[in-house]
Amino acid sequence: MKKATLTIDKAFTVSKVDDRIFSTFIESLGPTVYGCIYNPEHPTANEAGFREDVIEMMKGINRGAVRYPGGNFVSGYHWMDGIGPRENRPVRTERAWNRIEPNIMGIEEYTDWVTRVGAQPMLAVNLGTGTPEEAANEVEYMNFEGGTTISDLRKKNGHEKPYNIKLWCLGNEMDGTWQLGEKTAYEYGRIAYEAAKQMRAVDPSIELVACGSCANDKTHPTFPDWDREVLEQCYDKVDYLSIHRYYNYDPQLVKDTVFPAQFTVEDLPMIPEDMASFIDAISAAADFVKARKYSNKTIYISVDEWGVMGSELVQPKGLEWTERTLPKKGERMMFHSNLIDAALFGALLITFLNKSDRVKIACQSVPIGGIFAVDPNGGCYKQATYFPFQQAAAYSKGTALRVALDSPTLQTENYGEKPFVKAAAVYNEEAETITVFAVNLSLRESVELESKIAFENATLTRHIQLYDSQPLAVNSFENPNRVVPKEVRVTTGNPVLPPLSWNVLQYKL
Ligand code: AHR
């Protein structure tokens, strides 16, 4: 069996891990909000009309923030449509996704829901069809103590105390041709500057995320000039630049989407490398502007939408992947995450931990449908992708360590030879543990992982693994525990990482 070797040393750290690397993103898309989150007819609905079964599931993962209300949706959304008595709220044609928006779940209901799931709010303002003044009014409504017409309107609507929302996104994907109110980098940089100025005038304590490139794909012509040009306009006024990325590994599945297929299932080890190089490119663009401005301030990265669009159709040569559950019509986006998706989730989270000196926020996209399967009219269950997300969030409290990893390589289909083991390590000083997260992205080979840990008396005490000999296996309403992690017996030998496995290795110091 091939061997990978990981070396870590107490002296070599990356950064304290920001809780917000384990954030999520929710928007009014399909039945996500109306049906899965808000559904007063549901047997588990509480007094506010929220589904308690979904709240319970969300509680299990939320160490960070929940970004809302969009997404593409926010670029045509006027927040005042969603406040005050429900019977007076307008019903609108929603032009990002071509739906009808009833405006039942406004920004106050969202904040109430986020509080119930134990996460922090992260609100996006409309810089597509909206104005800087509208954005500043939103901050005033949510954060201003009182004594002004707008903040007193909040009180009149039943909320005496300000919500004090700290984290705000200045629009969404303004570089996308599909975006309502799409802009050039200069136009967006100017409106972001003006919105930031007015929003901070109302509440100087807020943190602001500007829209960076929504793709690093070859066909996205503005990457990465967009980021430089935007920051040239608003560098001093913002704290983070966003990037968005959805990966897939089945060219058949994505042939009709905005961006062409880039990877096949034989290219999996390249996917986390691609994310790492996206982060590096955007950081370089930000640092270029920093140098030009002789600034002392660093702009951090918010990967404020990320996800994996799974496939149950892939069939690598020579492998017997017979267990597959084909989605019923219309179910593709909402159900069925398999072991490949889970391994990729793990590998992307590992990338964020290894870059946690720069990445401070990362929002897994639409967990309802990604991490959880939720039937708008029925129950819900945890998907395979839940486990790496939940475990990485739970076991990475502390400081990310610099990992020197010597991994065996494999021949990918489109990207040459690539190392296929990915790993990150977090030192928790309080609990006196080191947790190593490791993924094997080979479809075929198991690998032994030797850890050289330059800490006194580091002893492997626990190994949790998510693995199945049928990588297309999924959980379902009929069998919600088909794919679950297992404890692996710890021996004196090196732990073994089977193909497409996610592993949590806990060392006690
Ligand atoms: O989550 C789906 C969409 O993907 C979001 O609305 C948008 O921001 C991205 O393009």
Side-chain angles (χ1 to χ4, degrees):
M1 192 186 311
K2 289 183 183 155
K3 186 160 96 178
T5 308
L6 166 146
T7 308
I8 46 180
D9 189 305
K10 199 175 186 171
F12 300 118
T13 60
V14 181
S15 168
K16 189 170 179 322
V17 178
D18 195 313
D19 288 338
R20 298 169 304 172
I21 285 184
F22 303 99
S23 297
T24 52
F25 158 61
I26 280 172
E27 91 174 301
S28 195
L29 172 58
T32 306
V33 169
Y34 302 111
C36 298
I37 292 180
Y38 178 82
N39 187 344
E41 309 304 323
H42 195 270
T44 70
N46 60 24
E47 78 300 342
F50 297 134
R51 285 178 58 165
E52 281 290 344
D53 58 342
V54 171
I55 289 180
E56 275 315 304
M57 288 242 227
M58 286 292 292
K59 273 186 188 165
I61 54 160
N62 267 304
R63 183 173 156 192
V66 181
R67 178 172 175 260
Y68 188 84
N72 298 339
F73 173 82
V74 77
S75 295
Y77 179 65
H78 297 288
W79 66 273
M80 289 194 84
D81 287 351
I83 59 167
R86 285 205 172 125
E87 60 280 12
N88 299 339
R89 296 186 191 178
V91 174
R92 305 259 188 221
T93 53
E94 193 280 291
R95 292 151 194 184
W97 298 107
N98 287 326
R99 315 161 26 250
I100 299 295
E101 173 57 43
N103 281 309
I104 292 170
M105 178 110 159
I107 53 177
E108 289 183 275
E109 285 85 6
Y110 148 77
T111 309
D112 177 13
W113 184 78
V114 168
T115 309
R116 290 171 194 251
V117 304
Q120 309 161 33
M122 177 179 187
L123 265 181
V125 299
N126 173 1
L127 291 187
T129 63
T131 64
E133 188 177 28
E134 185 182 355
N137 288 345
E138 191 172 345
V139 176
E140 183 170 336
Y141 185 88
M142 296 305 270
N143 287 8
F144 207 72
E145 193 61 47
T148 64
T149 303
I150 292 175
S151 56
D152 287 348
L153 183 58
R154 180 195 68 238
K155 295 182 188 222
K156 191 169 150 241
N157 288 337
H159 211 276
E160 182 60 31
K161 287 274 159 232
Y163 292 96
N164 280 325
I165 301 209
K166 287 293 162 227
L167 190 55
W168 295 79
C169 302
L170 298 166
N172 177 71
E173 295 189 354
M174 298 309 305
D175 55 337
T177 50
W178 55 89
Q179 205 65 215
L180 301 175
E182 66 175 284
K183 296 188 168 39
T184 64
Y186 178 77
E187 288 166 345
Y188 171 69
R190 287 300 305 157
I191 198 173
Y193 171 89
E194 190 55 35
K197 186 168 76 184
Q198 295 191 31
M199 291 163 81
R200 283 200 200 279
V202 176
D203 182 351
S205 73
I206 57 177
E207 288 195 294
L208 294 173
V209 185
C211 293
S213 285
C214 70
N216 59 343
D217 192 278
K218 276 190 195 129
T219 59
H220 192 55
T222 55
F223 164 77
D225 282 332
W226 168 275
D227 305 83
R228 173 192 52 76
E229 217 177 325
V230 164
L231 284 180
E232 273 167 4
Q233 305 309 318
C234 64
Y235 195 92
D236 296 335
K237 293 268 178 274
V238 302
D239 306 290
Y240 307 91
L241 202 55
S242 73
I243 60 174
H244 291 183
R245 195 63 165 95
Y246 294 90
Y247 286 104
N248 61 76
Y249 47 86
D250 181 354
Q252 284 186 72
L253 192 70
V254 291
K255 60 180 185 305
D256 300 326
T257 60
V258 180
F259 298 111
Q262 237 180 300
F263 307 101
T264 70
V265 73
E266 302 284 356
D267 292 325
L268 297 183
M270 181 57 199
I271 290 180
E273 278 193 28
D274 181 80
M275 175 57 93
S277 84
F278 192 2
I279 294 165
D280 289 346
I282 302 303
S283 305
D287 290 346
F288 175 84
V289 182
K290 178 181 182 176
R292 288 254 323 238
K293 290 188 178 282
Y294 296 92
S295 174
N296 286 327
K297 172 176 149 184
T298 298
I299 297 288
Y300 293 97
I301 307 288
S302 169
V303 188
D304 58 31
E305 281 183 41
W306 70 269
V308 173
M309 294 162 68
S311 171
E312 50 292 295
L313 302 173
V314 288
Q315 184 53 72
K317 282 194 199 95
L319 291 170
E320 298 276 308
W321 290 2
T322 48
E323 184 177 333
R324 62 186 75 224
T325 309
L326 294 174
K328 297 186 195 101
K329 202 164 178 279
E331 268 190 3
R332 173 146 291 158
M333 294 284 285
M334 307 306 288
F335 295 96
H336 302 160
S337 295
N338 59 37
L339 276 294
I340 307 176
D341 306 331
L344 280 177
F345 257 55
L348 291 168
L349 290 162
I350 284 171
T351 308
F352 302 148
L353 289 171
N354 286 335
K355 299 220 166 265
S356 56
D357 52 340
R358 205 67 198 233
V359 175
K360 300 296 175 189
I361 307 165
C363 307
Q364 198 285 312
S365 193
V366 200
I368 296 164
I371 295 179
F372 309 120
V374 184
D375 179 344
N377 306 308
C380 51
Y381 63 85
K382 293 168 186 161
Q383 304 239 40
T385 45
Y386 167 88
F387 302 105
F389 191 88
Q390 186 272 332
Q391 290 168 352
Y395 300 124
S396 64
K397 297 196 172 120
T399 303
L401 298 170
R402 221 181 297 161
V403 166
L405 184 62
D406 185 8
S407 161
T409 56
L410 59 72
Q411 184 63 39
T412 60
E413 191 167 336
N414 297 296
Y415 298 93
E417 291 264 326
K418 290 285 163 197
F420 59 83
V421 176
K422 313 286 169 187
V426 177
Y427 172 41
N428 183 334
E429 207 166 344
E430 224 170 275
E432 298 189 320
T433 55
I434 291 174
T435 305
V436 171
F437 303 101
V439 163
N440 177 357
L441 290 178
S442 163
L443 309 180
R444 300 174 175 86
E445 283 182 89
S446 288
V447 64
E448 228 181 276
L449 181 68
E450 181 186 9
S451 297
K452 294 184 178 165
I453 303 183
F455 281 66
E456 274 164 43
N457 300 324
T459 314
L460 181 62
T461 53
R462 198 170 176 204
H463 180 181
I464 314 170
Q465 186 171 79
L466 185 67
Y467 164 70
D468 200 286
S469 59
Q470 289 291 327
L472 299 180
V474 294
N475 290 336
S476 62
F477 284 107
E478 296 73 44
N479 191 356
N481 297 316
R482 166 69 187 83
V483 178
V484 287
K486 299 193 175 70
E487 295 279 341
V488 177
R489 201 166 63 85
V490 173
T491 65
T492 48
N494 289 328
V496 172
L497 320 179
L500 293 172
S501 65
W502 157 257
N503 300 268
V504 180
L505 300 163
Q506 237 162 29
Y507 294 84
K508 195 82 195 141
L509 300 178

